[in-house]
Amino acid sequence: MVSTIKNNSTFKEKTRLWLLDHPNLNPFNFSIKRSYRNLTSGIRTFPDFIIIGAGRAGTTALYSYLIQHPKIIPAYTTNNEDVADLHFFEYMISDNIKWYKSHFPISFSKSQKKHFITGEFTSTYMYHPDVPKRIFNLLPRVKLIVILRNPVDKAYATYQQQFRFGEITTTFEETINAEFRRMNFNTDFPELNSKNDDFENSVAHNIIRHGIYVNYLETWFKIFDTNQILILNSYDLKNSTKETLNQIFNFLNISNYDIPDISPVNVGTYTPINKTTRQKLIDFFKPHNQRLDELLSTTHNWDD
Amino acid sequence: MNYYLPRITGMINLNRSNSGIIWKKLDGRKKLYTKIETSTHEYRNWNPFRSKLGAALFNGLEIFPFESGSKIFYSDTTTDTTLNHISDIIGPNGKISVDKFNKNSEKFDIVYLKISDNRNLETEIFNYESHLKNSGFLIIFLNNSSNTIDSSFQNLTTKIINNSKMSFQLIQEINLADFFKNHMMILLQKTETSLRMV
């Protein structure tokens, strides 16, 4: 039965696979700007700050506010968008440091007494278990910014986003029940897990677990100094935007500045969550939120 | 990198000589190798562009029901390399039936199903359910022939899940669009208190 399998791939398919294997030589992927940046990557800087998460909690909005500051220069993106999520430390596109450096500005202008800083944001750095070590090995003094949102709202917003993308096709209740089942599988039958180190990257399959912030932040605090990590609340960013932005500017050691455009960015529109499922999730997250409060010595009013 | 952005990072290994997901040949051990250890073992490359199960692993398949010694019914007879990989995992004690059910058929741990048409969904799921062990797994690969991905896919998957709700639980659904256009995978588990039990 196995012998009936033939290797009858066509020429078109073969070239497609070869081009996927050699992305540097792919003519459809060539651009002058990017090759210039690759050539000059040796004289480019590393980022001074990184926004590491959490997704759907206001990372895109925060980054788009920060890059309006005259002394913050944004990272370059290939998609001609203002915001940069590079996913470098997850080794998603490349693990080459030159590739990473090519996204940041040239460091000569620093010596011309034009003091500036740069940074990037990737909303899934927070979850990947290997990323803290990788960042510390490359950039031990980098400053990290985290925004946290009520995990129930975050879970529902993530579900709506992934539903729009076509990653999920079922209802919210069905998806969270499936995830609870998988969590039970992991405790009852650990041998059935696929043991993929990069599983934490997949947002659509971690809707609930990505809301347990303590488990992730504990590993970050083990590796980085507490002065290097700033933890914000998305409620504060939304309601008292100026004060939180000034707090960030102090943290980054740059002067305060009135950001001209603080309109909301990347907002999803959807029907509100069902009340009984909301209560169920609140009960699930309650002990984890208490542990988070103990870790950060703060109070998050996320229980209503 | 405009042409794809996979959510699982093992992709980077594809750009090298020792690439892809790797599995030890006929070992039966459950471990996803992303790098080759220095040993005398022989390895097989799992290319996600060739195999839908490999693509599902890249896109975040969490519960992987194949084990050494498990018995599988495999209905997808297309020319992909998945069978080789499955046989590596289940080892010499496992068993794969490809063509049809025997008349005195034994029950299977896993049924691997490919559906490209949604007309006979109910009968197909009912047929395969009776040949599956209690708490066995049903893996369905959907191929949507029309080019629109969102609405028709959602109709198809919800139809399958609603049809199978009596005897199956949804474990995970995965979109394979990074590697296979208009493909979707659904992993279901048979409940022990099935109402339609044969």
Side-chain angles (χ1 to χ4, degrees):
Chain A
M1 285 172 277
V2 181
S3 62
T4 54
I5 291 172
K6 284 176 266 174
N7 192 6
N8 60 347
S9 54
T10 56
F11 176 72
K12 193 185 166 189
E13 196 181 330
K14 271 181 187 170
T15 46
R16 181 175 156 267
L17 287 169
W18 188 87
L19 289 173
L20 285 170
D21 285 350
H22 302 85
N24 293 332
L25 302 172
N26 193 336
F28 300 105
N29 202 27
F30 179 80
S31 85
I32 294 168
K33 214 172 185 181
R34 186 140 22 98
S35 42
Y36 162 71
R37 280 184 167 265
N38 281 333
L39 286 171
T40 54
S41 64
I43 52 169
R44 290 179 183 274
T45 50
F46 280 118
D48 302 270
F49 70 91
I50 301 174
I51 302 172
I52 57 170
R56 291 276 100 193
T59 46
T60 314
L62 177 62
Y63 189 77
S64 69
Y65 300 156
L66 287 183
I67 60 176
Q68 292 175 40
H69 193 287
K71 288 197 171 172
I72 297 177
I73 297 178
Y76 167 78
T77 44
T78 51
N79 303 332
N80 297 321
E81 288 169 3
D82 292 340
V83 288
D85 46 341
L86 298 179
H87 293 277
F88 170 71
F89 290 102
E90 299 159 341
Y91 297 164
M92 189 177 265
I93 296 162
S94 170
D95 64 347
N96 190 349
I97 293 167
K98 272 189 175 178
W99 180 88
Y100 187 51
K101 277 180 99 175
S102 72
H103 291 85
F104 298 105
I106 293 172
S107 53
F108 287 156
S109 38
K110 260 188 179 173
S111 61
Q112 292 169 344
K113 292 181 183 175
K114 287 179 187 171
H115 178 66
F116 70 86
I117 58 171
T118 54
E120 63 134 328
F121 90 94
T122 300
S123 56
T124 49
Y125 277 167
M126 191 176 147
Y127 311 121
H128 197 289
D130 296 339
V131 164
K133 273 181 202 166
R134 288 174 187 165
I135 292 184
F136 187 77
N137 289 340
L138 187 66
L139 311 162
R141 287 184 183 178
V142 75
K143 290 188 172 175
L144 305 165
I145 300 170
V146 188
I147 305 190
L148 303 179
R149 188 182 175 183
N150 186 343
V152 183
D153 295 337
K154 183 185 126 34
Y156 192 59
T158 316
Y159 162 78
Q160 292 292 346
Q161 186 203 33
Q162 297 297 318
F163 189 84
R164 247 185 297 133
F165 290 169
E167 300 295 317
I168 299 170
T169 58
T170 47
T171 58
F172 182 59
E173 283 75 18
E174 194 82 55
T175 42
I176 61 167
N177 285 338
E179 194 177 339
F180 279 127
R181 268 171 220 143
R182 274 180 272 135
M183 285 155 79
N184 290 336
F185 265 114
N186 288 335
T187 49
D188 298 342
F189 309 100
E191 70 276 3
L192 282 183
N193 195 293
S194 65
K195 295 195 180 80
N196 190 341
D197 293 339
D198 299 322
F199 174 72
E200 296 283 347
N201 265 0
S202 53
V203 177
H205 312 304
N206 275 308
I207 284 175
I208 294 166
R209 278 168 285 185
H210 279 179
I212 308 173
Y213 302 124
V214 221
N215 297 349
Y216 305 109
L217 286 178
E218 272 173 347
T219 56
W220 285 92
F221 277 115
K222 270 177 200 163
I223 290 166
F224 282 93
D225 196 57
T226 44
N227 301 328
Q228 281 175 267
I229 304 176
L230 177 70
I231 290 168
L232 302 166
N233 197 338
S234 71
Y235 182 84
D236 297 337
L237 183 72
K238 201 178 178 184
N239 293 298
S240 53
T241 316
K242 274 190 183 177
E243 289 81 8
T244 37
L245 285 174
N246 285 338
Q247 192 189 342
I248 298 164
F249 296 145
N250 285 333
F251 174 69
L252 298 174
N253 292 328
I254 49 174
S255 57
N256 286 357
Y257 179 75
D258 281 342
I259 300 295
D261 182 15
I262 48 170
S263 54
V265 180
N266 198 8
V267 185
T269 49
Y270 39 79
T271 52
I273 186 173
N274 184 5
K275 272 185 183 175
T276 47
T277 42
R278 188 184 166 82
Q279 193 54 45
K280 185 188 167 188
L281 285 176
I282 284 172
D283 294 341
F284 173 78
F285 282 119
K286 216 170 198 174
H288 303 297
N289 291 341
Q290 281 174 359
R291 271 170 60 219
L292 181 74
D293 287 346
E294 283 167 21
L295 181 77
L296 306 177
S297 60
T298 51
T299 47
H300 293 97
N301 297 319
W302 287 338
D303 296 339
D304 47 80
Chain B
M1 282 291 154
N2 293 325
Y3 56 93
Y4 61 73
L5 189 69
R7 281 139 299 188
I8 291 289
T9 64
M11 199 63 205
I12 180 69
N13 294 318
L14 272 178
N15 300 334
R16 303 202 181 130
S17 52
N18 302 326
S19 60
I21 313 175
I22 301 147
W23 224 287
K24 268 182 191 168
K25 271 192 177 178
L26 284 175
D27 183 16
R29 227 177 102 199
K30 289 216 65 169
K31 174 97 173 75
L32 202 86
Y33 292 95
T34 44
K35 275 175 191 167
I36 287 181
E37 295 167 353
T38 49
S39 67
T40 53
H41 278 284
E42 212 181 327
Y43 293 88
R44 198 195 296 276
N45 229 335
W46 202 331
N47 189 340
F49 289 101
R50 295 289 175 90
S51 160
K52 277 158 208 135
L53 192 61
L57 277 168
F58 268 95
N59 277 354
L61 177 63
E62 188 176 2
I63 305 299
F64 189 72
F66 298 93
E67 278 184 302
S68 76
S70 51
K71 286 163 190 167
I72 295 148
F73 177 77
Y74 187 92
S75 82
D76 182 8
T77 50
T78 50
T79 59
D80 64 1
T81 56
T82 313
L83 264 185
N84 303 353
H85 298 292
I86 291 175
S87 63
D88 283 349
I89 296 157
I90 63 175
N93 298 324
K95 194 178 177 184
I96 305 178
S97 310
V98 174
D99 269 348
K100 278 174 186 173
F101 290 125
N102 299 326
K103 282 180 181 173
N104 307 318
S105 64
E106 52 187 331
K107 294 209 168 186
F108 293 96
D109 299 319
I110 296 154
V111 171
Y112 185 104
L113 204 71
K114 192 188 169 191
I115 293 175
S116 52
D117 204 350
N118 57 351
R119 265 174 283 174
N120 301 323
L121 265 182
E122 279 187 22
T123 49
E124 275 196 59
I125 289 172
F126 181 74
N127 285 339
Y128 289 108
E129 186 221 331
S130 58
H131 291 278
L132 201 59
K133 271 183 185 172
N134 273 344
S135 67
F137 290 92
L138 176 65
I139 300 175
I140 302 175
F141 283 91
L142 288 176
N143 178 11
N144 204 7
S145 48
S146 63
N147 287 323
T148 52
I149 195 161
D150 302 321
S151 55
S152 47
F153 242 141
Q154 281 162 13
N155 292 339
L156 240 176
T157 44
T158 45
K159 208 173 180 183
I160 287 179
I161 288 159
N162 288 335
N163 278 334
S164 57
K165 235 175 196 174
M166 296 289 274
S167 41
F168 288 100
Q169 280 184 330
L170 175 71
I171 303 295
Q172 198 172 8
E173 53 165 342
I174 298 169
N175 191 347
L176 307 178
D178 288 342
F179 304 101
F180 291 91
K181 233 182 184 180
N182 301 338
H183 275 71
M184 191 107 189
M185 184 197 150
I186 301 173
L187 179 67
L188 300 161
Q189 194 192 20
K190 191 174 174 182
T191 49
E192 287 179 15
T193 54
S194 171
L195 295 173
R196 290 195 211 160
M197 223 161 55
V198 178

